Each structure stands twice: as C-alpha cells, then as structure tokens.
Amino acid sequence: MARPVYLDDPSLGGPLLATLHPAAGAADAAAPATGVLLCAPFGYDAMCAHRGLRTWAGELAADGRPALRFDLPGTGDSAGGPRDPEQARAWTTAVGVAARHLRAATGCRRVVAVGLGLGGLLAAQAAADGAPIDDLVLWGTPARGRALVRELRAFSRLGISDLDAFDFDAAGAPPLPDGAIESGGFLMSGETAAAVGAVDLTALDLTRIGRALLLGRDGVSVDARLVTALEAAGVAVTVEDGPGWSELTDEPHQAVAPAATIAVVARWLEEGEREAHAGPGNDVAAPATSDTLTLPGGGTETPVVLGDGPSAPVAIITTPGSDPFRCTGARVQRNGSDPGGLCVVLLNVGGERRVGPNRMWVEAARRWAARGVVTVRLDLPGIGDAGGPPSPWGAFLSLYCDELVDATGAALDALAARGLGPRFALVGLCSSGYWGFQQALRDDRVSALMLINPRMLLYDDTLGQAAEARHVRRVVSLDVWRQILRGRLTVARVRRLAAALLVMVRRVPAMLAARLRARRAGGDALDLAFDRLRDQDTTLGLWFTPDEPVLADLERTGHLDRLDRWPTMTVGHVPGPPDTHTLQVVRMQPLAHDVLDAWLDRQRARHAEPAAPSAAEIA
C-alpha cells in the first residue's frame, strides 16, 4: 500500500510530501535492483497528470520496482508557496532529498529518475549536483530551461479573453511579482523563471549517469543537443517516441495513464537490470521523515485514509495548535476542550486532486488552522490519491453521480468516528457543488454549504448537456486553443459539443415549460430542496463568477426573486473577469479567498464555537 511521508532536510526550506509505493512482496524479497523516482511536470500539467503518475507508480511497484512520487517545495501538499525565494534551488535539492529517501527506505541498488518536462530538467540537474541518481528517463525535457520557460509564457498568453476588461487594482487584488509567469492559473515567480531559464543541461557534468532514455512528446522530437551532450559524457543513450503525453495531461477527470510509454520505459528498465551493473551503494544520508507537517503559522497536517476498502477516500487533516499529530489513538483528542465544533471539508474540484484550484484549498486550510479551524482536504474515489479505478470518470456528466455523493457521506462518517465535527461545513466548486448540495439534503450534520460555480444542483441530464452547450463560447476562446496547442483537439470532442448544442435547441424549452408548471403547482424540485435546507437550518451560500449559467438559470426561473422564502440562503459574486469558472486567474484568487474567509467568519459567529484545540491525536 502506498505510504505518504514528509521528508525534511536542512537544505530545504520546509518539508515536502512524498508517497512511496513499495515493491510487491518487498517484505519477503531481497533488495530491489531498481527504484524509480517520478518527477512531475510544472503547474496545471502536474495537476492533470497526478492520477496517471499514481497509476504508473503502482504498476512499477507491482513489477517489483519501488516508486516514489513527491510534491516539490511550494507545490501540492508540500510546505511553502510559489513566491518563496530561491525556489528553483529548493526544487533541485528536493529531487536529491527524494532520491536519498527512495534508496535508503527500499535498499534499491540503483535509482532511476523519470522526469517529465520541468521534472526532467530538475532530475538531470540534481544528478549533476551529486544526487544518488544512476539513470535518467527524460520525457518532453529540453536541453535548456529557457525553452521550457518560453513554452510556459506562450501558454500563459492563451488565457482569459476578457481579462483586461476587469480592473484588478480597483478590486484590491495584489499585483503579480515582476517577471512572473501565470500559466494555467499556476504562478512561477520572476526569480524562479530566470533561474529555470538559465539551466543548460549540455553544460553540466553528467558523467556519473550510466544510461538515459530520451522520449519525444506527441510529435515533438527529442532535443538533439541533449542527445549529443549525454553521449559526449559517456552515457548510453536510447531515443524513443513518448506517446500519450496529451492523454496524461488532459483535463483531470479525463486524463489517463500513458500505457504505451509506460511499456517503453518498463522494457528499458528490464534491459538495464539484465546488464546487472550495480549502483554506487546505499550509504546515503537518509532525510528526516515524519507522518505530520508542522505549519509555520501554527497547526499540523496529517494524511489519513478514511476507510479500509479499495476505494477509500484519503484526506489531509489540518488542525490548529503547534503539536504534531500522534497517530496512536482511536479518536481526535482535544486536551479537554469541547470535541464538538466546526470541521470544514474542502471537496475535490471535479477530477482535480485535493489541493484545490491552483492550490487554493492548501492555502485556505493553512490560513484557517492559524485561526483555530479544523479543515479537511478530501480526495474522493477515483480522484487524486484516493482508491478506486485509475481514471473512472471521463465525460462531463459522469462526475454527477450518486457514487461520489455516497463517498462524501462515507468520508464524513469516518471523520466523525475520529472525533471531528459534529458540525460539518462543505466547500465545493463546479461538480463538487453538486456533491455537497446532495449530501446536505440527506445529512443534517452539514450545517453550512459554500458552493462556488456549481454546474447543477439537482441531477438532470438535459441540464448537464445544456450547460456543456452554454460553455461553447468559453471552450472556443480557451479550451480549444489550448488543445490545439497541445495537439488535443479530437473529432470526439467536436461531436460532443455538436450533440450538446442539439440538445439545447430541442429539449431545453420543454424542460423550462415543465418547471413553470411545477412552480404553479406549489414549487419545483429546487424550491423543495431549498425548503429542506432551510428547515434543517443549513446555511447555503451560492457564489458565482461572471456569466455562470446556473446563476442565469436561477434568475430566469425566478428563484432569485424569492430569496425571502429561504433566509438561510445567500447568493453572491466572486470578483473577477468572465470565463473564470475554476478561479484560474492568479490575481482573482486573493479576492476569492476574501469571500471564503468572510463566509467562514459568519459560520463561526453563528454557532459561537468553543476555543480552538491546542493538540490532536488521530488514528
């Protein structure tokens, strides 16, 4: 079973979260010949590829090769943030720390680093700096960092079409750092971009690398300068195609593991193992490890599995107080404080891992811990690091299912069994707005809902397909051009859009007429759902960025004119430009955080919760 652990070292600015996938039968076998270090690409590509890399690590482990995945400093669930100084140096150091842990924890005789994009650049640089990396697999990695930075800058220019129409300064949004790159909603500071751009793998000493496999990326050939430099260093170089990059980095709910490239790498690893050349040995200094992360602003974070089944959700639980968790008890102990109170659960944003849109959930959880609030970042089955099939979702509507609503309820049960709650506040964005709304209708432990840009609240396949059609303008202005850049535009996607448009033309008028008849008869299904939340005293906040279709639906159907019927319900706006459904513009994210903080303050004041706990104990 995969094991999360925090790695720390004096050379790092803070601990990083790594996940070790032990080799099958490792307890009964000799030390494995090969351990594999998976180094993810940057930003949104890393978000999309996360589930696929988890699958890849599991396949490596099943074949007898332990694998380690990790979040770079300031990314994912690791410590720090994107504005930290000297981040590029910390990234390279982190690769070396992760390699040392893999060798020390598994006893493997050789470490092979598999790096994608930026991950490959960092892996090669770490090897040149003396990290215990013996062989390299570089997929989509250029010889020079400036090529990668140019690609990120080009991607950043494919942003929101109406971005300039919104006055961020007037709204109070802090400016971006000078020279920063905003790529897919993820920030690389100007200092970091300059440092990455200065990397030249052809100028490094790579003589300690034995073998290297260089993979092209969806029609983009391997950088010939890198081949020449490695061969000049005496490295045995193999060049292959690397099919499946675009499938791996597709939207998170659609991304799949690159089966063909996984097979190419597996054959190359087998060839190296048959040559039976040993690595330099296992006498490396293992980094410090911990089951918890102690936060600088106060509080601790602990990864937990919420259940025993193969599809169990997983979570990061963030609690106030300076003492780290001790994973020995059966329940959360609050040192004599009232074990009740509010527990905020941040749900997945569609198929994105638990860090939230562009890492907003991590930032919110750590900020709220410093203010005395217990927060849970949740991965539901089939998403992020949770159990379940590798990539079960695919189509837009597949995320709107009872399975994910049931999993939300099961996660709340598991959290309650650990002593959290008894009041839960759910935060959802996009499809998780649907999960949270549905769970609240069946669970009076949910005392508050904060739903941002829900695509639907009650399931209706016509609504879902119509919503897809209404987003054609956004898709054309952003998604399609992004897909063209990456070679992702498919005939199937065009057909789906055409089918959605046809549904809107044919079926939506009949649907709206049916709703009108229901209201005249005493209320439609949404009226009754709002009534139920009101009657069980569950506060509901619906917050929208501009041009969201559900907000237009609520206005057109008259629900916004009847808000006095639901005094526990609020409808508001998140400041920002149109076409920002998942809050993917970096400058608007602080504005969204302000909205979230104000909502949380209202929930705490409403119930006047007791003093914050100072320590915790989690099973």
Side-chain angles (χ1 to χ4, degrees):
M1 182 177 179
R3 297 195 298 263
V5 63
Y6 292 99
L7 309 180
D8 202 2
D9 189 90
S11 59
L12 291 173
L16 57 92
L17 182 64
T19 302
L20 178 64
H21 296 252
D28 304 318
T34 305
V36 179
L37 183 67
L38 290 170
C39 305
F42 175 75
Y44 194 65
D45 279 347
M47 175 73 84
C48 297
H50 186 84
R51 188 78 177 171
L53 293 179
R54 176 185 181 273
T55 299
W56 194 345
E59 293 190 16
L60 288 163
D63 289 339
R65 301 181 184 98
L68 187 75
R69 300 178 290 120
F70 64 101
D71 292 331
L72 291 168
T75 75
D77 291 306
S78 291
R83 291 174 170 82
D84 292 346
E86 298 186 355
Q87 189 166 62
R89 181 200 61 79
W91 285 351
T92 304
T93 300
V95 175
V97 169
R100 284 163 43 204
H101 176 71
L102 176 60
R103 190 183 291 278
T106 67
C108 61
R109 298 192 296 276
R110 297 186 69 79
V111 169
V112 177
V114 177
L116 287 70
L118 174 67
L121 200 76
L122 298 174
Q125 189 173 30
D129 289 346
I133 295 172
D134 304 293
D135 299 330
L136 289 171
V137 177
L138 304 180
W139 190 11
T141 298
R144 293 171 180 164
R146 66 189 184 192
L148 189 146
V149 171
R150 278 199 306 269
E151 180 179 324
L152 290 175
R153 289 197 186 279
F155 185 35
S156 71
R157 288 192 287 271
L158 294 175
I160 309 305
S161 58
D162 295 329
L163 192 61
D164 293 337
F166 184 79
D167 192 339
F168 284 101
D169 294 329
L176 295 181
D178 290 342
I181 301 174
E182 177 185 353
S183 182
F186 288 80
L187 182 69
M188 180 182 284
S189 72
E191 178 196 14
T192 302
V196 170
V199 176
D200 184 354
L201 298 187
T202 67
L204 301 181
D205 179 7
L206 297 172
T207 54
R208 68 184 308 277
I209 297 298
R211 304 168 69 238
L213 172 62
L214 307 185
L215 300 171
R217 189 187 78 180
D218 288 345
V220 179
S221 300
V222 167
D223 193 328
R225 290 169 297 190
L226 188 53
V227 176
T228 300
L230 286 167
E231 289 179 338
V235 180
V237 178
T238 302
V239 177
E240 297 272 5
D241 291 332
W245 178 284
S246 60
E247 289 81 1
L248 176 66
T249 57
D250 201 347
E251 298 301 317
H253 63 283
Q254 295 177 311
V256 296
T261 291
I262 290 175
V264 167
V265 174
R267 288 193 299 269
W268 182 81
L269 291 173
E270 290 170 3
E271 291 169 2
E273 289 164 353
R274 285 197 297 270
E275 295 174 9
H277 51 290
N282 294 320
D283 54 343
V284 296
T289 62
S290 176
D291 293 331
T292 65
L293 171 66
T294 301
L295 301 173
T300 57
E301 292 193 340
T302 303
V304 296
V305 178
L306 299 177
D308 300 322
S311 297
V314 300
I316 299 279
I317 300 179
T318 308
T319 60
S322 59
D323 296 332
F325 286 128
R326 296 190 305 276
C327 299
T328 57
R331 293 170 59 82
V332 174
Q333 304 296 326
R334 298 177 181 258
N335 288 350
S337 299
D338 183 349
L342 186 68
C343 176
V344 179
V345 179
L346 299 162
L347 300 172
N348 293 112
V349 178
E352 296 183 2
R353 59 183 294 206
R354 62 185 172 240
V355 298
N358 316 322
R359 211 168 176 248
M360 282 187 64
W361 286 180
V362 176
E363 296 169 358
R366 294 175 181 176
R367 185 172 65 252
W368 293 348
R371 298 171 62 180
V373 178
V374 177
T375 307
V376 177
R377 305 195 296 273
L378 189 62
D379 275 340
L380 293 179
I383 302 174
D385 286 308
S391 36
W393 305 116
F396 164 73
L397 277 179
S398 64
L399 289 164
Y400 295 83
C401 62
D402 285 342
E403 179 182 349
L404 290 172
V405 178
D406 292 342
T408 302
L412 298 187
D413 292 341
L415 293 171
R418 293 171 180 271
L420 297 177
R423 293 187 295 109
F424 292 99
L426 307 185
V427 178
L429 194 162
C430 190
S431 54
S432 61
Y434 173 82
W435 312 332
F437 190 78
Q438 291 295 313
Q439 181 61 32
L441 291 175
R442 62 179 74 172
D443 188 345
D444 60 9
R445 295 174 300 180
V446 179
S447 67
L449 288 170
M450 173 64 159
L451 309 183
I452 305 171
N453 291 342
R455 286 277 180 90
M456 68 174 82
L457 297 172
L458 302 177
Y459 183 81
D460 187 312
D461 61 348
T462 300
L463 267 180
Q465 294 174 66
E468 179 83 8
R470 284 193 297 265
H471 278 71
V472 168
R473 182 173 66 84
R474 174 181 179 270
V475 169
V476 169
S477 66
L478 174 62
D479 251 9
V480 165
W481 288 107
R482 181 183 297 169
Q483 292 179 37
I484 289 172
L485 180 68
R486 299 183 177 185
R488 292 184 188 165
L489 189 62
T490 64
V491 173
R493 176 61 172 158
V494 174
R495 287 175 178 168
R496 285 199 300 271
L497 287 172
L501 283 168
L502 187 61
V503 165
M504 184 175 68
V505 170
R506 290 182 175 179
R507 297 177 62 184
V508 168
M511 176 195 71
L512 294 177
R515 286 185 171 183
L516 181 59
R517 290 192 297 271
R519 276 203 312 277
R520 288 173 176 172
D524 63 15
L526 192 55
D527 288 322
L528 299 178
F530 290 157
D531 287 348
R532 177 159 185 170
L533 295 180
R534 176 202 62 204
D535 294 344
Q536 67 188 34
D537 200 29
T538 297
T539 62
L540 170 62
L542 295 172
W543 294 85
F544 298 97
T545 56
D547 291 352
E548 276 295 308
V550 170
L551 178 61
D553 287 344
L554 292 172
E555 184 174 12
R556 184 174 59 252
T557 56
H559 286 93
L560 297 186
D561 296 329
R562 304 194 300 278
L563 289 180
D564 55 350
R565 175 172 168 176
W566 306 293
T568 58
M569 176 174 162
T570 303
V571 178
H573 297 272
V574 178
D579 298 333
T580 50
H581 178 73
T582 55
L583 312 179
Q584 66 268 37
V585 175
V586 170
R587 288 197 73 187
M588 74 179 293
Q589 290 166 18
L591 305 177
H593 278 301
D594 289 343
V595 171
L596 286 165
D597 288 350
W599 166 81
L600 180 64
D601 287 341
R602 288 193 296 272
Q603 307 317 310
R604 299 182 71 190
R606 182 169 177 253
H607 292 278
E609 65 178 14
S614 60
E617 200 172 280
I618 280 200

